[in-house]
């Protein structure tokens, strides 16, 4: 316990501060703090779902593991933790006033002056580049577009969080009449791509590398496919479905994900999910605008016409949402992983979580 006192930086960039048994991550208290050995109150055995490796490494690093995940703490440089907490607070405070993903530039970076203007422009771009009515797309044909979330990729923790909610609550299907207010998923917005375009081929290879480097994601499912789709919006949702498709091992649950008797989930996996599909002729700066504005428009009403025309309501306030949901639309992959772990520390019973031995 004494060895862990003070400031640390975790391998995903989180600012960690230990004072006694209390632990804060990016300034947020970690529920339960450090867990001590029942037989020796001076020895730490873990925190949250993580278990500590028996000894601190010779270079001063501390290794923690939970299922297939492993994180490493290193000693922070002078002032580093304060700087990281200040940056995180700045992002979350900005997000909290409802400007979402474009808030850091107040819309100016995209040439819009108000939230309504941004939603109007979003509708115009969707109408300009959509290739037809809603199309059912299977999650196994989707990878993230490399313009989404400032090219930081997807958060492993958030993909598993969505899958865990599906397993615990059942799949909330738009096709079967449920609304976002009732827990249904957002409409995926995808770009129809091919392996021989610069953006398409680049996105596919980046996703292949990301999956190979990060155990816990669903397997790479685009091998041998020349045509596929890149997600501008709802990418975490698509990969959460792939966890069920591949019956992957859960991070926050015992065992593997399985469809079981969830007919709505089986339908989504086998037949696909109704999605807005855009042309791959869409330039990079407009893809980036759409991906960030989709997050900003989260909670608004989507209207889908009989001819497939999409309209997101910019004339009325967005539906209210929890701070967790609002921030999940804003943060980059590393920050979002931190947010999910803080959320799970409050809401999820972690007893019985399988632990695997560190490979380092």
């Amino acid at each position: 316990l004494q060895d862990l006192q003070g400031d640390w930086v975790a391998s995903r960039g989180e600012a960690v501060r230990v004072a006694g048994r209390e632990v804060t991550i990016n300034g947020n208290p970690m529920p339960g703090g450090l867990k001590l050995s029942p037989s020796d109150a001076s020895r730490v055995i873990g925190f949250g779902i993580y278990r500590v490796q028996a000894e601190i490494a010779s270079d001063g690093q501390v290794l923690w593991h939970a299922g297939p995940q492993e994180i490493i703490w290193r000693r922070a440089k002078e002032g580093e933790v304060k700087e990281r907490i200040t940056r995180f607070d700045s992002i979350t405070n900005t997000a909290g006033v409802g400007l979402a993903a474009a808030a850091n530039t107040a819309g100016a970076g995209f040439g819009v002056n108000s939230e309504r203007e941004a939603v109007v422009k979003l509708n115009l771009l969707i109408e300009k580049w959509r290739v037809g009515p809603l199309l059912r797309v299977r999650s196994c044909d989707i990878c993230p577009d490399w313009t989404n979330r400032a090219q930081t990729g997807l958060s492993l923790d958030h993909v598993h969080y969505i899958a865990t909610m599906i397993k615990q609550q059942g799949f909330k299907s738009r096709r079967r009449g449920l609304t976002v207010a009732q827990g249904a998923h957002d409409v995926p917005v995808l770009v129809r791509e091919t392996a021989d375009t610069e953006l398409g081929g680049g996105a596919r290879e980046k996703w292949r590398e990301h999956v190979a480097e990060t155990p816990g994601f669903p397997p790479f499912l685009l091998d041998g496919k020349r045509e596929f789709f890149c997600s501008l919006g709802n990418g975490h949702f698509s990969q959460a479905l792939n966890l069920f498709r591949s019956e992957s091992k859960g991070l926050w649950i015992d065992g593997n994900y399985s469809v079981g008797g969830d007919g709505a989930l089986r339908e989504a996996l086998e037949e696909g999910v109704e999605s807005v599909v855009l042309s791959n002729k869409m330039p990079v700066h407009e893809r980036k605008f759409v991906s960030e504005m989709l997050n900003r428009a989260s909670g608004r009403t989507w209207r889908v016409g009989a001819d497939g025309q999409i309209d997101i309501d910019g004339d009325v306030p967005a539906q209210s949402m929890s701070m967790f949901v609002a921030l999940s639309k804003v943060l980059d992959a590393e920050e979002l992983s931190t947010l999910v772990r803080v959320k799970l520390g409050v809401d999820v019973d972690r007893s019985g979580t399988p632990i695997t031995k560190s490979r380092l």
Side-chain angles (χ1 to χ4, degrees), residues 83-140:
E83 179 184 343
R84 287 174 179 267
I85 291 175
T86 299
R87 176 174 176 269
F88 188 81
D89 285 346
S90 175
I91 292 172
T92 55
N93 288 339
T94 302
V97 300
L99 294 179
N104 291 334
T105 60
F110 296 114
V112 293
N113 299 313
S114 69
E115 187 166 355
R116 185 183 184 283
E117 254 186 74
V119 176
V120 169
K121 182 175 180 179
L122 173 60
N123 282 318
L124 291 174
L125 287 176
I126 289 177
E127 180 60 22
K128 176 181 178 181
W129 292 109
R130 71 184 180 96
V131 295
L134 293 183
L135 179 68
R136 290 183 182 178
V137 179
R138 299 173 72 208
S139 60
C140 57

Side-chain angles (χ1 to χ4, degrees), residues 228-307:
F228 51 92
F229 299 84
C230 293
S231 57
L232 294 180
N234 233 10
H236 288 91
F237 166 74
S238 297
Q239 298 310 319
L241 291 183
N242 283 337
L243 290 174
F244 285 94
R245 185 182 300 281
S246 58
E247 297 189 339
S248 295
K249 185 175 180 58
L251 285 186
W252 317 120
I253 61 170
D254 289 328
N256 294 36
Y257 298 105
S258 62
V259 176
D262 192 331
L265 176 57
R266 187 174 302 278
E267 181 180 67
L269 292 174
E270 294 179 354
E271 300 180 18
V273 172
E274 285 79 359
S275 306
V276 177
V277 177
L278 308 177
S279 167
N280 66 357
K281 304 298 183 184
M282 187 179 195
V284 172
H285 71 279
E286 292 186 347
R287 293 189 191 200
K288 183 174 177 62
F289 176 88
V290 169
S291 68
E292 297 201 14
M293 288 306 109
L294 285 171
N295 292 327
R296 185 177 180 179
S298 180
R300 293 191 175 277
T301 300
W302 286 67
R303 290 190 290 265
V304 182
D307 63 350

Side-chain angles (χ1 to χ4, degrees), residues 201-235:
R204 188 179 72 165
E205 291 312 304
K206 185 169 184 177
W207 180 236
R208 186 199 302 274
E209 294 170 4
H210 199 50
V211 168
E213 293 170 355
T214 313
F217 275 117
F220 183 77
L221 300 175
L222 298 181
D223 276 327
K225 296 180 180 179
R226 179 180 174 275
E227 296 184 351
F228 51 92
F229 299 84
C230 293
S231 57
L232 294 180
N234 233 10

Side-chain angles (χ1 to χ4, degrees), residues 148-166:
N148 203 352
R149 290 191 185 268
Q151 302 183 24
T152 61
L154 301 184
S155 159
L156 174 66
D157 298 78
H158 196 48
V159 170
H160 278 268
Y161 177 80
I162 293 172
T164 300
M165 294 303 101
I166 292 173

Side-chain angles (χ1 to χ4, degrees), residues 30-32 48-49 339-350:
M30 185 68 194
I49 64 166
L339 179 70
V340 171
R341 288 194 291 274
V342 172
K343 169 76 171 177
L344 292 179
V346 175
D347 292 345
V348 174
D349 179 5
R350 290 165 168 167

